[in-house]
Amino acid sequence: MKLTHRKKIAFALFTVAFFFLTVECMLALLGLSADRLTTDPYVGFSSTMPLMVETADDVGTTTMVTSPTKLRWFNSQSFAVPKPDHVKRVFCVGGSTTFGRPFDDATSYCGYLRRLLPYVDPATQWEVINAGGVSYASYRVAAVMEELASYEPDLFIVYSAHNEFLERRTYPTMYESSATQRWAETSLRKTRTFTAMESIVRRLRGQDDAPIEMLPGDVDERLNHTPGPVDYVRDDTWSADVVRHYRLNLERMITIARRSGAAIVLVEPSSNQKDCSPFKSDDQHFDRGRGLFEQGLFDEALAEFTAAVDRDICPLRATSAIIESVHSTAAEQDVALVRFDERLRAKCFAEYGHACLGNEYFLDHVHPTIDVHRDLACWIIETLEASKWLRGTIPDGETVARVDTEIRNSIDRDRQAIAFRNLAKVLHWSGKFTEARRSAEDALRLMPGDLESQFVRADCFTRQGLFREAIEQYESIFEAAEYEKAMLPFAYLLADTARLEQAEFYATLATASESPKTRTAAFELLVRIHTALDEPERAAEANVSIDESTNE
């Protein structure tokens, strides 16, 4: 009896399925697990230092503590090994938002979770470890998770999205894949047969043939090698590769968590769009957005603000493509998603009548205010409860307010002021003078009279063309002390605004600097001043001093 064409196809499919299931069963009996995508096929590290190192006390209790070599990027944290009974261990991983920048762990969403979870489930001993690394992109976060997976985690909370474009790397063999192809590959990766075949192919190919770029063991931001975002040029192909690499690393994180027996939740990224211009731009999306916002055309403004983030040549905020990757990966992998951006926009709409997120909720381009960290912790708890991982009572407003007060009362005002000052300096370095001035003013509210914060504020006024305000701020500085760092900038400002006698005074002060570069610049300015004052002999004297300073 001849088989019809359809029967032949059905028979072939049945044979393939039977063979596939047979192989799956045999590999299961041999103990091979599925979904083993835990290594990055594109990026490796030239050296590795563990995040956590082991210590022991006098009675032999072993504790893991943050390695001193990592404290530049991570908060100091500790936990016992093995994990004590009745403990639920939660690792929060990601970048500087998880860290709690510009502050630290205490006022981060991790710090709030640590205080709030015992109210949800008092019968459990909660252990929340902040493993957020400053400037850590997803490929570094995944490596941290690989280490932490060996310490009996119960839950990973992942907020990793804003640092994907910080480091240089190449993708020589990446290719575009459709949603259907991604679904098929994701499904196949969950099978033992795919895992075994992938392992065999890698062995046959050999490690030397793998297109892996070796990055430094520690973060090496492109911005560290330039005076600002000038190193960035528009490269849409590279940006698309970065997004695909990011998606792959999200899948790696999910695999790592599941293989360790832990649950995982992803946090939808959010950022300041309304009050933070692009770090480098060649279009007018942000300016158009500001104009539309001032007209009350909020929906149109939001579209322009979003485009400004997406078209930023130096993208230090999660783009729409990054955010979509979080959404689609969570859906494809059946992972709980904390709708941080969505909830924050709803809050903004309720409070201000629009959904354009700005300084009301962020201290800079991506770092939330302490209030928003508190809200994010509450939204994480609600998401965990909705996903059935967490069972208990959601903290009411009174409980949250009590915890909030406890945390704020524990804040060291001087440390917080220094954090604002450091933030102001970073923003000033990146050319964001409005934002830098605001952070300097935040520092001065907590630490009145701080000379460095006043200096940043004065220079921001100068860069913005607000010369009267800048002069007033400089005068306030020098009423308190002869602040060397401000001498030459103030002299330049006075000279540029035709206050030549005053400029001469501060330029002369600057000639006593220990820095040859500063002394040379001060003498050059004096030549200019004396020439403008028609004092040729004094200009000549200053000119001689330039040569003497240069030859030192």
Side-chain angles (χ1 to χ4, degrees):
M1 180 178 176
K2 290 186 178 181
L3 294 175
T4 65
H5 182 65
R6 287 187 178 180
K7 288 182 178 180
K8 287 180 180 179
I9 293 175
F11 181 75
L13 290 173
F14 175 80
T15 302
V16 171
F18 180 78
F19 173 78
F20 188 83
L21 290 173
T22 301
V23 172
E24 281 288 293
C25 292
M26 290 176 62
L27 293 173
L29 291 172
L30 291 172
L32 180 66
S33 63
D35 205 3
R36 295 180 62 185
L37 179 62
T38 58
T39 57
D40 191 327
Y42 299 106
V43 164
F45 303 106
S46 58
S47 62
T48 56
M49 294 290 290
L51 172 60
M52 310 302 298
V53 294
E54 186 177 299
T55 64
D57 61 20
D58 295 338
V59 296
T61 302
T62 302
T63 303
M64 304 304 298
V65 300
T66 306
S67 170
T69 62
K70 294 292 187 180
L71 290 176
R72 177 182 173 186
W73 296 278
F74 292 86
N75 286 286
S76 178
Q77 303 281 278
S78 63
F79 52 87
V81 289
K83 185 174 70 176
D85 294 338
H86 310 299
V87 165
K88 277 196 173 180
R89 181 166 288 168
V90 179
F91 285 116
C92 301
V93 298
S96 54
T97 298
T98 298
F99 178 97
R101 274 293 176 102
F103 311 123
D104 56 23
D105 169 63
T107 53
S108 70
Y109 71 83
C110 315
Y112 274 94
L113 282 173
R114 195 177 296 118
R115 301 273 192 127
L116 288 170
L117 284 171
Y119 288 98
V120 179
D121 181 5
T124 297
Q125 184 178 339
W126 291 98
E127 200 174 66
V128 178
I129 295 106
N130 185 332
V134 175
S135 297
Y136 266 52
S138 60
Y139 44 89
R140 292 188 183 272
V141 174
V144 168
M145 281 186 63
E146 287 181 316
E147 177 185 341
L148 299 179
S150 63
Y151 298 122
E152 304 174 86
D154 292 288
L155 173 68
F156 283 101
I157 299 172
V158 180
Y159 187 163
S160 177
H162 296 301
N163 298 325
E164 298 308 303
F165 299 89
L166 276 180
E167 294 185 275
R168 287 190 183 92
R169 55 204 186 278
T170 57
Y171 300 105
T173 61
M174 272 202 164
Y175 60 90
E176 181 68 75
S177 59
S178 66
T180 302
Q181 288 171 318
R182 290 197 303 269
W183 174 85
E185 183 175 349
T186 299
S187 300
L188 285 171
R189 283 194 181 277
K190 297 178 181 178
T191 67
R192 294 172 177 84
T193 305
F194 182 92
T195 299
M197 291 175 63
E198 184 181 49
S199 178
I200 292 169
V201 169
R202 285 186 178 181
R203 289 178 183 175
L204 289 173
R205 183 177 62 184
Q207 183 66 29
D208 292 340
D209 295 329
I212 292 178
E213 179 175 3
M214 301 307 291
L215 298 179
D218 293 325
V219 174
D220 184 24
E221 302 174 19
R222 294 171 65 176
L223 295 172
N224 287 338
H225 303 283
T226 66
V230 295
D231 184 52
Y232 282 80
V233 295
R234 190 172 302 288
D235 187 340
D236 293 336
T237 299
W238 184 74
S239 296
D241 287 342
V242 167
V243 173
R244 286 192 284 277
H245 189 200
Y246 174 72
R247 179 189 290 273
L248 181 146
N249 281 306
L250 288 180
E251 294 174 359
R252 283 180 61 209
M253 293 180 206
I254 295 166
T255 297
I256 291 165
R258 287 173 172 168
R259 288 189 64 196
S260 71
I264 183 171
V265 296
L266 304 180
V267 178
E268 175 188 53
S270 188
S271 65
N272 183 340
Q273 295 180 317
K274 173 173 67 71
D275 297 311
C276 182
S277 60
F279 286 83
K280 186 176 181 181
S281 178
D282 58 6
D283 56 46
Q284 301 298 314
H285 287 298
F286 181 77
D287 292 337
R288 285 199 293 269
R290 292 295 302 179
L292 291 165
F293 184 84
E294 290 169 4
Q295 297 174 51
L297 301 172
F298 300 133
D299 291 343
E300 293 88 342
L302 179 57
E304 292 292 340
F305 290 142
T306 301
V309 172
D310 290 343
R311 296 292 295 166
D312 194 339
I313 299 171
C314 179
L316 303 183
R317 292 169 286 183
T319 61
S320 296
I322 292 286
I323 297 170
E324 191 281 327
S325 294
V326 178
H327 290 167
S328 58
T329 302
E332 291 169 6
Q333 299 280 343
D334 192 25
V335 168
L337 177 64
V338 181
R339 298 278 182 173
F340 178 36
D341 188 68
E342 180 180 309
R343 297 289 294 269
L344 196 56
R345 290 188 191 279
K347 178 182 176 70
C348 183
F349 189 85
E351 293 176 344
Y352 298 100
H354 62 78
C356 302
L357 299 177
N359 289 342
E360 300 85 359
Y361 304 106
F362 291 92
L363 297 170
D364 55 14
H365 58 303
V366 293
H367 298 117
T369 64
I370 295 175
D371 285 348
V372 173
H373 273 286
R374 177 201 62 216
D375 293 341
L376 175 55
C378 292
W379 296 333
I380 289 171
I381 289 172
E382 291 175 12
T383 301
L384 292 173
E385 196 272 341
S387 68
K388 309 301 182 184
W389 184 85
L390 180 63
R391 298 185 185 278
T393 303
I394 301 294
D396 58 22
E398 183 178 339
T399 299
V400 173
R402 183 165 59 250
V403 167
D404 189 51
T405 300
E406 292 170 358
I407 287 177
R408 290 175 187 275
N409 287 342
S410 69
I411 295 174
D412 184 316
R413 287 176 62 87
D414 287 344
R415 286 185 63 187
Q416 190 175 22
I418 291 170
F420 275 124
R421 184 178 69 195
N422 290 340
L423 176 59
K425 290 162 67 176
V426 171
L427 290 167
H428 177 276
W429 168 85
S430 64
K432 306 190 79 60
F433 302 116
T434 300
E435 295 88 341
R437 197 180 86 206
R438 181 170 68 98
S439 293
E441 290 165 354
D442 287 336
L444 289 167
R445 275 191 286 273
L446 295 168
M447 196 162 52
D450 179 63
L451 294 176
E452 193 165 8
S453 298
Q454 290 187 70
F455 172 56
V456 172
R457 184 170 186 254
D459 196 64
C460 287
F461 279 134
T462 302
R463 303 297 184 109
Q464 294 176 299
L466 302 171
F467 300 133
R468 179 178 60 81
E469 292 86 346
I471 290 171
E472 289 175 356
Q473 183 64 80
Y474 276 118
E475 288 174 342
S476 176
I477 291 172
F478 287 103
E479 285 173 6
E482 288 191 355
Y483 188 59
E484 181 178 327
K485 191 183 292 186
M487 290 174 182
L488 188 57
F490 191 25
Y492 277 124
L493 172 62
L494 292 168
D496 290 341
T497 53
R499 295 168 171 84
L500 297 179
E501 287 80 5
Q502 284 180 281
E504 179 190 357
F505 174 77
Y506 287 101
T508 302
L509 288 178
T511 62
S513 171
E514 294 182 0
S515 166
K517 183 177 179 181
T518 299
R519 290 199 303 273
T520 299
F523 283 122
E524 289 173 345
L525 180 57
L526 283 171
V527 170
R528 172 184 153 196
I529 291 170
H530 291 311
T531 300
L533 291 172
D534 195 20
E535 298 173 344
E537 291 183 1
R538 299 187 67 184
E541 290 175 4
N543 200 43
V544 171
S545 297
I546 292 174
D547 295 333
E548 293 174 352
S549 178
T550 303
N551 293 330
E552 288 184 13

